[in-house]
Amino acid sequence: MGHIVISKCIISAMRLISQLTHPHGTAIWDLEPAGILPQEDAMQVPVFHVVFVRNPYSVVNRKGARSSSLLFRNGINMEENRETAEMENTQEQEEVVLHVHRHLYPEEKELKTAKKEYKEYKIYARIMFVFFLLFGWLGGSLLPYGFTSSLRTMISRGLGLDDGDKINAVKEVLESDWYFGKDIENLDERLTDQAIEGLVANSEDTHTLYFSAEESDSFRQGINRNYCGIGVQYLEIDGTNIITKVMEDTPAQQAGLQVGDVLYEADGTLLSDKSAEEIKEIIQGEEGSIVSLKILRQDKIIGMPVERKNLVSIADGKVIDDRIGYLQLYQFGDSSGDAARRYLDTFREAGVSSLILDLRDNGGGYLTSVTDVASLFLPKGSAVLQREDKEGNITVSKTTQEQYCQIGPIVILINENTASAAEVLTMALSEQRDDVTIIGTTSYGKGTVQVERKFSDGSSLNYTTQRWLSPDGVWVNDVGIEPDREVRLHEVFYHTFTKMKEGNEYKVDSVSPSVEDMALCLDYLGYQTDRKDGYFSQILSDNLRQFQHDYGLEETGNLDVHTYRYLYGQTRYRWQTTTDTDTQLAEAVKVLQGM
């Protein structure tokens, strides 16, 4: 239709030109295709010859033959002379040829291209339909499934993996083609967890972590330190599980359990061959339920039923002398502020005026909790920490309550495991008060803040969003807090122990890392040692024989696995049940007594 309209416009224009240039007669003209001329764009446009003839009664075509009609050669009959017969006309004719290009508008170009593509698509679709129809018939009728499966695997192996989504590409390959995947239950879940763990693992930030549902619950419980049990701590020494601490106001204390009692049996199950984790699972349970214990005390077996109760073991405290209180915070969980306040109430009633705040081995916790604890020792509105996000925006966290008590001076104990929120409190008190002394060893140095985002299945992503700075702008990350007075414990607590193998035995003149372990334990327990370099001297043998005698072991003077485990266990037991070897605590008491 567009061709007809454009052609009529051209004809009208030619007639007008003819009348202007040939006033003595009407110009008769003819249009015919003249091929295709090259164009700048990709479309091809037909070109027409326009022929002007001075004699209006005779038309000569391009081959010289006369015609009784005027025809537009692309199919449009312009005029037919039905009245006049063919006449001879010798009058000289003048022929003028013009090249006229038919213009295609953008819409016409797009339509023409779309029609061409659609036509090609229909041809391709028909071919593919026939191909897959035949392939499916042959594959299903002539070939076994195993063959087609193997063929599919071979084809997929020959193809490259999608660079745009490598994680899912690898996951799909492992799920479909990994040999060991057949033996793994919940393979999809495991691969997903491993992929996420790989995403969050980086050298810049070791504190961004992904937790499964079980790990997330355990992590949260570790911070809040809440559980349902009886309220004891125990230590395994070569198959013997010895109670090292009985918590105050717990079912264990009410039942009469004591430090040094051996956990012998629980609900009819012998505990001598159980690990510490297995014993915990047996003793802990639902609130209000009863666990039937048998304990060994001075070679007597005593039975006692103990009721389980929901407990929180977040803090501990005691009065050391008439005016010094001792408060230990294990973590900064939901109830740390309330627990600290209860102990401060006890200290105030006892007339305590100075405090030892023990943050050793405190790995941190919630910043809201550390702000609650700081409010006990700082005036309202005091800065506790500054938090800086990746855009450089700084938020200052301040105490929101009136200072709870005026206790002081304060000594804070820290060590290499004091981290995060525990470091926040240490810096806040030391910078905001003039009566704080820090004793111990350099702290861990964790100066970042993480938030938790949970998935619907209970798993969670804990990732770093900010760094924290002290009220004065100090960043302790990877540096830690240096104490005002550096005091180290016995060297046995900084030593890495080897695991002595079953069947090994060391005698005088032997050399082994296990002999070095033995010498350090003997020295800590108060026995004489002449060297700690792994060489088994005669003096070490004599003192080892004395240890064996004191604890009822076979007196050989040689180091076997049984003696090795007992040495290590007694070292831990003494540390957990007494304070006479705690040099850092002793220094804290000395500082406060001298003030």
Side-chain angles (χ1 to χ4, degrees), residues 75-113:
I76 303 174
N77 190 344
M78 302 299 300
E79 181 181 353
E80 289 189 1
N81 190 345
R82 301 181 184 274
E83 299 177 355
T84 307
E86 183 176 358
M87 299 174 58
E88 291 289 339
N89 194 330
T90 59
Q91 184 177 355
E92 183 180 0
Q93 302 178 41
E94 180 180 349
E95 181 179 295
V96 180
V97 179
L98 297 178
H99 294 292
V100 180
H101 298 266
R102 179 179 174 274
H103 176 72
L104 292 181
Y105 290 92
E107 294 81 359
E108 292 181 287
K109 293 180 181 180
E110 292 178 1
L111 180 61
K112 186 173 182 179
T113 302

Side-chain angles (χ1 to χ4, degrees), residues 506-562:
Y506 300 102
K507 303 178 181 180
V508 174
D509 288 336
S510 299
V511 177
S512 170
S514 297
V515 175
E516 181 182 358
D517 301 343
M518 174 196 72
L520 289 172
C521 290
L522 286 173
D523 186 70
Y524 174 74
L525 294 172
Y527 295 89
Q528 182 183 358
T529 58
D530 61 338
R531 54 194 306 170
K532 303 169 187 173
D533 57 357
Y535 175 75
F536 204 153
S537 68
Q538 185 61 53
I539 292 178
L540 287 177
S541 178
D542 293 341
N543 281 272
L544 181 61
R545 183 179 287 106
Q546 184 62 47
F547 171 82
Q548 291 169 334
H549 172 78
D550 293 342
Y551 288 92
L553 306 176
E554 184 181 1
E555 300 176 28
T556 63
N558 299 332
L559 181 63
D560 55 24
V561 172
H562 182 56

